[in-house]
Amino acid sequence: MTQAPTIFSLQAPKDISLTEIEAELNQIWQSYGIAGEDGALPAATRATTFTLVVYEPEETQYLLAALGFYHGPIDGILGPQTKAALREVQKKFELPETGTANPETLAILREQFAKGQRIGSIGESGAISYGVDTASPRIADEIAIRNPCRIIALCPIAGEDEGVKAQVSAYCPIQKQSSSTLICCEYITLSGTPSALERVGGMIPALLIGGLPKFLWWKATPDPNNSLFKRLAAVCNNVIVDSCNFNEPEHDLLSLQALVESGIPLADLNWRRLAAWQELTAQAYDSPHRCAALKDIDRVNIDYEKGNPTQALLFLGWLASRLQWQPIAYEKESGDYDIAKIRFVAQDQLQVEAELAGVPVADAGEVAGDLIALRLSSTNPKADCGTVICTETGGCMRMETHGGAQSAGLFQQVSSLSEQKAEALLSQQVQRWGHEALFEDSLAITAQSLKLGQKS
């Protein structure tokens, strides 16, 4: 990871009423302009690129802030500052200092929150505080460092319905190459019970900056029947999800397809993680004779880290959509490996057998269900279509055991990818919006396959 930039703080999180949000943000900038007339402060660019609405059901940042361990905007990205706050909690309560929101730490946070006391070392402050602060939040830097934007975080919390609380703040990451100009993000945080947030759903569109692209990052499983989701999806240029976090991957992928069919422009960060696999697969068949042999592929084996088959399903959907295979059968087996067998028929009526295997791994990464290995082959011994692609770290464990790697015509590796974290993928996603035809085509084939499984 690159070193997080120093932060210039325009406004620490400040509690205000819902009706004062725009006025408070304007006051921040008016005060900054007055203070900067003597030239002592660098020029600052206000949010001018897009609005990002983040629906954040994960309560870690909210609890840390409420208890006084964390003093940054709540936007759902668990960056270095949030991890440092978690370590402080863990140290205070004599838990292993992992810097992660594990069940034990969350239980402590919820228990202390219920007692209603601020026990952290960070005090409350509502004053405007211009100045460089290396300890201040490094949240959403991947986005803010490139784009002056407005981030609206919606934080559903458990407990009694006490209405919706609002906070505003403003931070500017400082880059060495342009330290004379600040590119700033405005943060609005709205917290309350899910029903309370739904009640104020009608006012949220008014907080989106007019005339600029609008993105909704829905970090829960998208629910087509959720009224807040429907209201926000209707006014945003893109609805962004991350299917690696789906609780019921197969059911939730079908929900995604239903959203696409309803006309919602959808993007999946987990789909972005497949780019290197797709590129290497395409490159493997670049030469004319290999391209001609594509029609001979009738066996596909995909290994992924056991737990979430979404990447494997989406990759297979992409492959089938490009080669114009139609799914005709879907079966599942559970055991040490989670096995799914999907049968397709090609345009020339050739039957294609695909097997997806969830492989148990000792050291799973942060992304659930990452691909491990891919093998394309043919039962035709004369066909030159055999290809094996593996991760640099995971290798082809199961495939080599079965002798598959040795019989492949072409062997490639996917290098370790550092840009797989959600915030890095998100910073790329907000450069584009609208419908993504390739993703929608692949998801459609995936959904067709899953529906066959429901019937069997």
Side-chain angles (χ1 to χ4, degrees):
M1 289 185 61
T2 56
Q3 181 63 38
T6 304
I7 299 294
F8 190 94
S9 172
L10 266 66
Q11 168 74 69
K14 179 180 178 181
D15 293 334
I16 57 169
S17 72
L18 290 173
T19 57
E20 297 172 333
I21 291 174
E22 284 290 358
E24 182 65 31
L25 287 171
N26 289 332
Q27 178 61 37
I28 293 172
W29 289 96
Q30 289 170 7
S31 301
Y32 183 85
I34 294 169
E37 285 180 355
D38 59 358
L41 295 174
T45 300
R46 191 177 180 182
T48 55
T49 51
F50 58 84
T51 305
L52 173 65
V53 182
V54 183
Y55 184 82
E56 176 50 83
E58 216 287 332
E59 59 190 327
T60 303
Q61 282 181 328
Y62 181 83
L63 293 173
L64 289 169
L67 294 171
F69 290 98
Y70 173 71
H71 201 39
I74 298 168
D75 64 2
I77 297 175
L78 302 185
Q81 191 71 10
T82 312
K83 292 177 182 177
L86 285 166
R87 289 192 184 95
E88 185 182 342
V89 173
Q90 290 160 345
K91 182 178 181 179
K92 185 177 183 72
F93 291 94
E94 299 181 344
L95 298 173
E97 295 178 35
T98 62
T100 59
N102 54 39
E104 295 79 13
T105 305
L106 279 173
I108 289 287
L109 289 172
R110 290 176 185 132
E111 179 185 337
Q112 297 301 315
F113 179 75
K115 294 178 180 178
Q117 297 178 335
R118 288 177 67 87
I119 54 176
S121 60
I122 299 175
E124 295 194 56
S125 170
I128 294 177
S129 54
Y130 308 122
V132 173
D133 180 5
T134 56
S136 60
R138 307 190 176 189
I139 306 307
D141 289 346
E142 289 283 355
I143 303 166
I145 205 168
R146 296 175 176 85
N147 313 282
C149 63
R150 175 176 291 182
I151 297 178
I152 303 172
L154 308 178
C155 302
I157 55 175
E160 291 186 26
D161 189 339
E162 299 177 353
V164 173
K165 297 178 181 177
Q167 281 187 336
V168 297
S169 55
Y171 292 95
C172 318
I174 299 173
Q175 302 181 75
K176 291 180 180 178
Q177 64 267 31
S178 58
S179 58
S180 61
T181 302
L182 300 177
I183 297 178
C184 305
C185 268
E186 301 172 345
Y187 296 85
I188 302 168
T189 301
L190 303 178
S191 56
T193 62
S195 58
L197 288 174
E198 285 191 25
R199 282 202 308 274
V200 302
M203 65 162 286
I204 295 173
L207 299 175
L208 309 179
I209 302 174
L212 296 179
K214 303 165 184 66
F215 298 91
L216 170 61
W217 185 15
W218 192 265
K219 296 184 71 178
T221 300
D223 179 2
N225 299 315
N226 181 296
S227 61
L228 182 60
F229 175 83
K230 287 195 290 187
R231 187 188 294 270
L232 294 174
V235 296
C236 287
N237 299 91
N238 234 175
V239 175
I240 302 169
V241 300
D242 191 345
S243 60
C244 84
N245 297 319
F246 284 177
N247 293 322
E248 301 178 57
E250 296 186 359
H251 173 272
D252 297 339
L253 282 171
L254 289 173
S255 293
L256 285 194
Q257 177 60 18
L259 293 174
V260 169
E261 290 173 357
S262 71
I264 291 176
L266 202 66
D268 181 3
L269 300 182
N270 213 22
W271 165 259
R272 297 266 162 236
R273 296 185 179 101
L274 296 174
W277 293 88
Q278 293 165 335
E279 289 167 10
L280 280 181
T281 304
Q283 289 171 14
Y285 298 96
D286 270 349
S287 63
H289 79 279
R290 293 272 296 171
C291 185
L294 277 169
K295 66 181 187 331
D296 293 311
I297 295 173
D298 59 11
R299 293 292 181 270
V300 179
N301 295 83
I302 301 174
D303 287 358
Y304 63 94
E305 292 182 3
K306 185 176 179 177
N308 186 328
T310 303
Q311 282 192 25
L313 286 165
L314 287 175
F315 182 90
L316 183 60
W318 168 77
L319 187 67
S321 71
R322 296 306 90 197
L323 298 179
Q324 296 182 296
W325 299 342
Q326 286 299 314
I328 55 174
Y330 184 99
E331 300 174 6
K332 287 181 65 176
E333 303 172 9
S334 295
D336 291 339
Y337 295 93
D338 286 341
I339 303 293
K341 296 182 178 179
I342 302 112
R343 193 161 71 251
F344 297 88
V345 61
Q347 281 191 307
D348 60 2
Q349 301 307 305
L350 178 72
Q351 297 230 347
V352 180
E353 303 281 349
E355 181 182 287
L356 313 183
V359 179
V361 293
D363 186 21
E366 291 184 27
V367 177
D370 261 341
L371 292 195
I372 297 172
L374 158 72
R375 179 188 172 204
L376 305 177
S377 57
S378 176
T379 52
N380 176 2
K382 297 181 180 179
D384 182 19
C385 63
T387 299
V388 170
I389 303 175
C390 304
T391 56
E392 191 177 66
T393 50
C396 293
M397 301 176 293
R398 192 178 71 103
M399 292 183 182
E400 288 178 347
T401 301
H402 292 193
Q406 287 78 5
S407 63
L410 188 63
F411 189 97
Q412 302 187 81
Q413 275 191 333
V414 176
S415 299
S416 296
L417 300 175
S418 59
E419 293 291 287
Q420 297 297 288
K421 291 184 179 295
E423 55 264 39
L425 296 168
L426 187 66
S427 72
Q428 300 167 18
Q429 185 61 49
V430 293
Q431 307 300 321
R432 62 178 75 84
W433 55 87
H435 291 274
E436 295 187 48
L438 194 57
F439 169 66
E440 292 184 358
D441 289 350
S442 305
L443 181 61
I445 293 290
T446 301
Q448 288 176 32
S449 301
L450 294 174
K451 288 175 182 176
L452 289 169
Q454 291 180 336
K455 294 175 182 178
S456 60

